[in-house]
Amino acid sequence: YAESHIIDLSQVDSLVALHPSPDNVVHVDEVQMDLDGCFIGACTTAEEDLILAALVLDAGLRAGRVPVAGGNRRVTPGSVPILAKLRRLGLVDVYERAGFTVGAPGCSYCLGIAADVAGDGEVWLSSQNRNFKNRMGPGSIANLASAATVAASSFAMKVANPRELLDLIDHDRYRKMLDVWMDKGIDVTVSEPNPALEATRGETIAARNTDAVESSASVSESEPADSASLISGKVQRFEENIDTDAIIPAQFMPGVSDEDLGTHAFQYFRPEFREKAAQGFDIVVAGVGFGSGSSREEAPRALKGAGVKAVIAKSYAFIYSRNQPNMALLGIVLKDEKFYDLAQEGAEVSIDLPARKIYCGGSVFVFNLSTMEERLILGGGVTEMYKKYGNLLFRAAIAADPESVLKNAGSCGKPTSCGDTGTQELAW
C-alpha cells in the first residue's frame, strides 16, 4: 500500500454534500435548508442503510414526531429481493407510516429517469452518490447525505442531524435484523497472485507503449505540408470536472446508436454544443477531471455521435478514460498550460496522431498515447476489433504485428472460438 490510515469510527459524524458536487462536504449542523423532496434508495444505498433509515423513522414516530404535510418522500430499494426482505421485517410499513412512497425497485430519482424526475428548482436530500447539475432532473438541486440523515430530515422536510433518533434505536433489534437479512458468508482462502508473464517476443514494453516517454515542452513549428493525415477542427472549451451527467443525461440513454446519443450531448449543460460541433467546432478542450461521475460508456459515444473528433484535457476520470479508446474516441492528456492559453473557444487545432503532435497558435505540443489506445481508436473500438480478432483483440492491440496474432493463434484466432460461441453483436 502507498499509505495506511486508522479511522476512529466513534468520531465519524453526519455530513452533507451540497449541490452540485460530492466534494462540497459540510457537517449536517451547518446546513439550514428546507426540502422539497427526500429520497432513500439507489444501488449505492446499502441494505444496512435501508434498515437503519427505517429504524430512524420508527424511532421518530414512537417519539411522537409527525411528518409535515407536503413534500415528496420516496424510498426505492435496489432490487425485488431487497424489497421483499424489507416487507418481511415489517419495515415497508414503517416507511409508509412515515409518509414515504415505496417505489418500484430499480433506478429512480437517483438518475432522474422515467416518472421519477425532480422538478426544476426543487431541493432534494438523497442517499445516492452523485449530485451533479440536473442529476435528479433538469434544474433540480440535489444534496447528498446518509439514509439515516435523509430519514431524520423527512419529518419536518428540513435538513436535520439524525443523532437524537439514532440514540433512540434498539441496537439489539438492529443487529438481529442484520443477522436475519444478510447472507451468511463462506470461508475464503486469500492468496497473492503470482502470474507467469508472457514473453515479449523480443520487444520491450517501451517499444509497444509510447507512455514510457514524457511529453516534451512546446516549441514553435509549422504544420506539416501534407495535412491529409491531420485531425483538424475548432475548439469548444470547457472548464474542469465536466461530469458524464452533463455530457449525456441519463434519460437519453442507452440510445439506438452513437448518432442518436449525439443528438442529446450536453442537452442541458450547453444546448448549443451540437450545432456548433456540426459547424466544425469539433475539438473538445477541457481542464482536469473530464468525464467524472458515473462510469457510462454512453458519454464518449455521445461525443462521437455529435461529431467530436478528439478530446484534449489535463486529466480524465479513470473509467471514462478507459471508455474513450474502447468507443474509438481519441482522448489526449496534455498538461502544458501554454496550450490552454492558446486553445480558447474557436481556436484552430490540428492533431498529427502518428507523430503525437498537436498544432495550435503557431506552437506544437507533444503528447503521449499508448499503442493499444491508438489501435483501438483506428480499429473502430472494442466491438469492431472483436469482430476481427475475437478474444485475442487486446493481444493484437499491443503486438508489433497485429496480423501475426491471428496467424500464430491456431484455432483460437477465430472471433467466436476458444469457448466464445456467441454470434449476437454487443449492444453498443
Side-chain angles (χ1 to χ4, degrees):
Y1 301 100
E3 295 180 358
S4 61
H5 300 271
I6 297 175
I7 299 174
D8 183 352
L9 296 181
S10 68
Q11 301 301 310
V12 175
D13 210 344
S14 298
L15 306 171
V16 176
L18 300 174
H19 179 266
S21 171
D23 293 327
N24 294 339
V25 177
V26 298
H27 192 277
V28 64
D29 290 339
E30 298 177 30
V31 183
Q32 305 295 320
M33 183 184 296
D34 293 334
L35 302 170
D36 297 298
C38 287
F39 176 71
I40 297 173
C43 55
T44 51
T45 299
E47 298 174 19
E48 299 97 318
D49 293 322
L50 289 167
I51 296 175
L52 189 61
L55 294 180
V56 166
L57 293 172
D58 185 60
L61 293 171
R62 291 174 183 271
R65 297 193 185 187
V66 178
V68 297
N72 194 339
R73 303 171 179 87
R74 173 68 70 92
V75 57
T76 301
S79 69
V80 171
I82 293 174
L83 176 58
K85 288 180 181 179
L86 286 173
R87 198 177 301 279
R88 190 163 68 249
L89 292 173
L91 299 181
V92 168
D93 176 65
V94 172
Y95 275 111
E96 291 177 337
R97 286 191 291 114
F100 279 76
T101 299
V102 181
C107 294
S108 180
Y109 283 99
C110 45
L111 273 178
I113 58 175
D116 297 341
V117 179
D120 187 3
E122 287 186 352
V123 179
W124 283 68
L125 189 66
S126 173
S127 66
Q128 65 197 58
N129 65 337
R130 303 274 194 264
N131 65 335
F132 301 118
K133 292 178 181 178
N134 306 304
R135 173 76 180 196
M136 301 183 75
S140 61
I141 301 171
N143 305 279
L144 310 180
S146 68
T149 300
V150 178
S153 303
S154 70
F155 285 102
M157 294 302 287
K158 298 176 183 289
V159 174
N161 193 323
R163 175 52 52 195
E164 180 181 348
L165 296 181
L166 285 169
D167 290 341
L168 294 176
I169 289 175
D170 183 340
H171 289 277
D172 286 337
R173 181 187 179 199
Y174 179 48
R175 283 189 288 270
K176 288 178 181 177
M177 285 187 170
L178 290 179
D179 188 60
V180 170
W181 182 297
M182 304 304 291
D183 295 329
K184 301 300 183 292
I186 59 174
D187 292 333
V188 178
T189 300
V190 178
S191 61
E192 291 293 331
N194 185 26
L197 300 178
E198 179 187 10
T200 60
R201 297 178 296 281
E203 302 172 72
T204 65
I205 295 299
R208 299 191 303 184
N209 189 344
T210 58
D211 281 339
V213 182
E214 287 293 322
S215 297
S216 65
S218 60
V219 295
S220 295
E221 182 180 321
S222 59
E223 293 184 16
D226 180 14
S227 61
S229 62
L230 297 179
I231 301 169
S232 299
K234 295 179 181 179
V235 168
Q236 287 207 57
R237 186 66 184 263
F238 288 83
E239 59 269 28
E240 299 182 346
N241 299 310
I242 298 299
D243 60 84
T244 52
D245 288 297
I247 297 171
I248 178 65
Q251 55 264 48
F252 303 115
M253 300 188 320
V256 298
S257 66
D258 292 356
E259 291 71 23
D260 178 45
L261 286 168
T263 63
H264 300 289
F266 291 107
Q267 176 100 1
Y268 305 128
F269 188 83
R270 187 180 290 186
E272 71 277 12
F273 173 82
R274 302 175 298 281
E275 182 179 350
K276 292 194 69 173
Q279 295 171 355
F281 292 75
D282 46 18
I283 305 293
V284 170
V285 174
V288 300
F290 189 86
S292 59
S294 300
S295 54
R296 53 182 71 140
E297 71 272 8
E298 287 87 356
R301 287 180 57 206
L303 293 175
K304 272 188 63 185
V308 170
K309 295 177 181 176
V311 181
I312 305 171
K314 295 179 181 178
S315 67
Y316 299 98
F318 176 74
I319 298 178
Y320 173 85
S321 71
R322 293 289 300 272
N323 284 335
Q324 278 188 140
N326 287 346
M327 299 298 122
L329 177 64
L330 175 58
I332 296 171
V333 174
L334 191 66
K335 299 183 181 298
D336 195 322
E337 290 294 341
K338 181 179 178 181
F339 170 78
Y340 295 94
D341 291 339
L342 295 171
Q344 299 298 321
E345 184 77 14
E348 295 189 357
V349 169
S350 294
I351 303 168
D352 186 341
L353 184 57
R356 305 294 198 265
K357 293 180 178 180
I358 300 173
Y359 298 90
C360 181
S363 294
V364 61
F365 304 85
V366 179
F367 65 90
N368 293 324
L369 191 74
S370 70
T371 300
M372 183 173 75
E373 289 174 297
E374 182 179 20
R375 288 189 177 149
L376 283 170
I377 292 163
L378 297 180
V382 167
T383 299
E384 293 303 314
M385 290 278 284
Y386 182 82
K387 290 177 181 177
K388 182 173 183 178
Y389 296 104
N391 51 15
L392 300 176
L393 74 94
F394 290 110
R395 292 191 183 188
I398 63 172
D401 179 9
E403 299 307 315
S404 68
V405 173
L406 290 179
K407 294 175 183 177
N408 300 330
S411 61
C412 285
K414 298 178 181 179
T416 57
S417 63
C418 301
D420 183 2
T421 57
T423 58
Q424 184 175 1
E425 184 174 331
L426 297 175
W428 38 264

Short mmCIF file of all heavy atoms in Angstrom, two decimals, residues 3 8 71 77 87 90 104 124 134 149 152 184 189 202 216 218 236 246 291 296 302 306 326 341 343 373 426:
data_model
loop_
_atom_site.label_atom_id
_atom_site.label_comp_id
_atom_site.label_asym_id
_atom_site.label_seq_id
_atom_site.Cartn_x
_atom_site.Cartn_y
_atom_site.Cartn_z
N GLU A 3 -0.18 4.10 1.37
CA GLU A 3 -0.41 4.67 2.69
C GLU A 3 -1.39 3.79 3.45
O GLU A 3 -2.14 3.01 2.84
CB GLU A 3 -1.01 6.08 2.59
CG GLU A 3 -0.11 7.13 1.97
CD GLU A 3 -0.78 8.50 1.92
OE1 GLU A 3 -1.96 8.59 2.34
OE2 GLU A 3 -0.14 9.46 1.46
N ASP A 8 -11.01 6.34 13.50
CA ASP A 8 -11.76 6.16 14.75
C ASP A 8 -13.24 6.37 14.43
O ASP A 8 -13.70 7.51 14.26
CB ASP A 8 -11.27 7.17 15.80
CG ASP A 8 -11.96 6.98 17.14
OD1 ASP A 8 -12.92 6.16 17.21
OD2 ASP A 8 -11.57 7.66 18.10
N GLY A 71 -44.40 17.98 0.42
CA GLY A 71 -43.09 17.39 0.17
C GLY A 71 -43.21 16.01 -0.46
O GLY A 71 -44.26 15.37 -0.39
N PRO A 77 -35.99 0.62 -3.12
CA PRO A 77 -34.95 -0.42 -2.95
C PRO A 77 -34.31 -0.76 -4.30
O PRO A 77 -34.92 -0.59 -5.36
CB PRO A 77 -35.73 -1.61 -2.39
CG PRO A 77 -36.99 -1.01 -1.83
CD PRO A 77 -37.31 0.15 -2.71
N ARG A 87 -40.11 -5.92 3.48
CA ARG A 87 -41.50 -6.22 3.81
C ARG A 87 -41.58 -7.28 4.90
O ARG A 87 -42.40 -7.20 5.84
CB ARG A 87 -42.23 -6.68 2.55
CG ARG A 87 -43.76 -6.59 2.65
CD ARG A 87 -44.43 -6.99 1.34
NE ARG A 87 -44.01 -6.15 0.24
CZ ARG A 87 -44.51 -4.94 -0.02
NH1 ARG A 87 -45.42 -4.43 0.80
NH2 ARG A 87 -44.09 -4.26 -1.05
N GLY A 90 -41.06 -6.01 8.29
CA GLY A 90 -42.05 -5.02 8.73
C GLY A 90 -41.61 -3.58 8.50
O GLY A 90 -42.24 -2.65 9.03
N ALA A 104 -41.00 1.30 -7.27
CA ALA A 104 -40.63 0.03 -7.90
C ALA A 104 -39.12 -0.12 -7.88
O ALA A 104 -38.39 0.83 -8.19
CB ALA A 104 -41.15 -0.02 -9.33
N TRP A 124 -33.63 18.71 -3.03
CA TRP A 124 -33.76 17.35 -2.53
C TRP A 124 -32.57 16.99 -1.64
O TRP A 124 -31.46 17.49 -1.81
CB TRP A 124 -33.82 16.35 -3.68
CG TRP A 124 -35.17 16.31 -4.37
CD1 TRP A 124 -35.73 17.30 -5.12
CD2 TRP A 124 -36.09 15.24 -4.33
NE1 TRP A 124 -36.96 16.90 -5.57
CE2 TRP A 124 -37.21 15.63 -5.11
CE3 TRP A 124 -36.10 13.97 -3.74
CZ2 TRP A 124 -38.32 14.81 -5.30
CZ3 TRP A 124 -37.19 13.15 -3.94
CH2 TRP A 124 -38.29 13.56 -4.70
N ASN A 134 -28.49 18.83 -12.67
CA ASN A 134 -29.52 18.11 -13.44
C ASN A 134 -29.54 16.61 -13.18
O ASN A 134 -30.24 15.88 -13.89
CB ASN A 134 -29.34 18.36 -14.94
CG ASN A 134 -29.29 19.82 -15.30
OD1 ASN A 134 -30.20 20.57 -14.98
ND2 ASN A 134 -28.21 20.24 -15.96
N THR A 149 -29.69 10.26 7.80
CA THR A 149 -29.89 11.71 7.80
C THR A 149 -31.10 12.09 6.97
O THR A 149 -31.89 12.98 7.36
CB THR A 149 -28.63 12.42 7.26
OG1 THR A 149 -27.51 12.09 8.10
CG2 THR A 149 -28.81 13.92 7.23
N ALA A 152 -34.21 11.27 9.08
CA ALA A 152 -34.45 12.25 10.15
C ALA A 152 -34.94 13.57 9.59
O ALA A 152 -35.76 14.26 10.22
CB ALA A 152 -33.16 12.45 10.95
N LYS A 184 -25.21 -15.38 4.82
CA LYS A 184 -24.07 -15.87 5.57
C LYS A 184 -22.91 -16.12 4.62
O LYS A 184 -23.05 -16.71 3.55
CB LYS A 184 -24.43 -17.17 6.30
CG LYS A 184 -25.61 -17.01 7.27
CD LYS A 184 -25.28 -15.98 8.35
CE LYS A 184 -26.40 -15.86 9.35
NZ LYS A 184 -27.63 -15.27 8.80
N THR A 189 -10.30 -18.52 1.00
CA THR A 189 -8.84 -18.60 1.06
C THR A 189 -8.25 -17.45 0.25
O THR A 189 -8.58 -17.29 -0.93
CB THR A 189 -8.34 -19.94 0.50
OG1 THR A 189 -8.90 -21.01 1.28
CG2 THR A 189 -6.82 -20.01 0.55
N GLY A 202 10.89 -10.49 -27.90
CA GLY A 202 11.99 -9.63 -28.31
C GLY A 202 11.67 -8.15 -28.25
O GLY A 202 12.53 -7.32 -28.48
N SER A 216 7.26 16.29 -24.31
CA SER A 216 8.25 17.35 -24.36
C SER A 216 7.56 18.70 -24.30
O SER A 216 6.37 18.81 -24.49
CB SER A 216 9.06 17.24 -25.66
OG SER A 216 8.24 17.47 -26.78
N SER A 218 6.48 22.57 -25.34
CA SER A 218 6.00 23.13 -26.59
C SER A 218 7.12 23.88 -27.29
O SER A 218 7.99 24.45 -26.66
CB SER A 218 4.83 24.07 -26.33
OG SER A 218 5.24 25.13 -25.49
N GLN A 236 -14.13 23.74 -28.84
CA GLN A 236 -15.18 24.09 -27.87
C GLN A 236 -14.54 23.91 -26.50
O GLN A 236 -14.13 22.81 -26.15
CB GLN A 236 -16.41 23.20 -28.04
CG GLN A 236 -17.23 23.52 -29.27
CD GLN A 236 -18.69 23.15 -29.11
OE1 GLN A 236 -19.36 23.62 -28.17
NE2 GLN A 236 -19.22 22.33 -30.01
N ALA A 246 -23.48 15.68 -17.37
CA ALA A 246 -23.53 16.85 -18.25
C ALA A 246 -23.36 16.44 -19.70
O ALA A 246 -24.05 16.95 -20.59
CB ALA A 246 -22.43 17.84 -17.85
N GLY A 291 -15.01 13.85 -17.58
CA GLY A 291 -15.66 12.54 -17.54
C GLY A 291 -15.86 11.98 -16.15
O GLY A 291 -16.04 10.77 -15.98
N ARG A 296 -20.24 5.53 -17.43
CA ARG A 296 -21.07 5.07 -18.54
C ARG A 296 -20.36 5.26 -19.88
O ARG A 296 -19.83 6.32 -20.17
CB ARG A 296 -22.41 5.82 -18.53
CG ARG A 296 -22.27 7.32 -18.52
CD ARG A 296 -23.63 8.00 -18.47
NE ARG A 296 -24.27 7.82 -17.17
CZ ARG A 296 -24.95 8.79 -16.55
NH1 ARG A 296 -25.06 9.98 -17.09
NH2 ARG A 296 -25.53 8.56 -15.41
N ALA A 302 -21.72 9.52 -27.09
CA ALA A 302 -22.50 10.72 -27.40
C ALA A 302 -21.61 11.78 -28.05
O ALA A 302 -22.04 12.46 -28.99
CB ALA A 302 -23.15 11.27 -26.14
N ALA A 306 -22.06 13.20 -31.84
CA ALA A 306 -22.27 14.62 -32.11
C ALA A 306 -21.24 15.17 -33.08
O ALA A 306 -21.32 16.33 -33.48
CB ALA A 306 -22.21 15.41 -30.81
N ASN A 326 -11.98 2.58 -26.03
CA ASN A 326 -12.87 1.44 -26.26
C ASN A 326 -14.01 1.79 -27.20
O ASN A 326 -14.51 0.94 -27.95
CB ASN A 326 -13.45 0.93 -24.94
CG ASN A 326 -12.42 0.20 -24.10
OD1 ASN A 326 -11.35 -0.16 -24.59
ND2 ASN A 326 -12.73 -0.02 -22.84
N ASP A 341 -3.70 28.25 -22.81
CA ASP A 341 -3.76 29.68 -23.07
C ASP A 341 -4.12 29.96 -24.53
O ASP A 341 -4.85 30.91 -24.84
CB ASP A 341 -2.41 30.34 -22.75
CG ASP A 341 -2.11 30.35 -21.26
OD1 ASP A 341 -3.06 30.24 -20.46
OD2 ASP A 341 -0.91 30.46 -20.90
N ALA A 343 -5.57 27.59 -26.72
CA ALA A 343 -6.74 26.84 -27.21
C ALA A 343 -8.03 27.37 -26.59
O ALA A 343 -8.76 26.66 -25.89
CB ALA A 343 -6.57 25.36 -26.92
N GLU A 373 -4.12 2.10 -27.24
CA GLU A 373 -5.15 3.11 -27.44
C GLU A 373 -5.27 3.50 -28.91
O GLU A 373 -6.37 3.60 -29.46
CB GLU A 373 -4.84 4.35 -26.59
CG GLU A 373 -5.01 4.15 -25.11
CD GLU A 373 -4.55 5.37 -24.32
OE1 GLU A 373 -3.36 5.70 -24.39
OE2 GLU A 373 -5.39 5.98 -23.64
N LEU A 426 -22.66 -7.16 -29.68
CA LEU A 426 -22.86 -6.42 -28.45
C LEU A 426 -23.75 -5.20 -28.71
O LEU A 426 -23.73 -4.62 -29.79
CB LEU A 426 -21.51 -5.96 -27.89
CG LEU A 426 -20.55 -7.09 -27.49
CD1 LEU A 426 -19.21 -6.50 -27.07
CD2 LEU A 426 -21.12 -7.93 -26.38
#
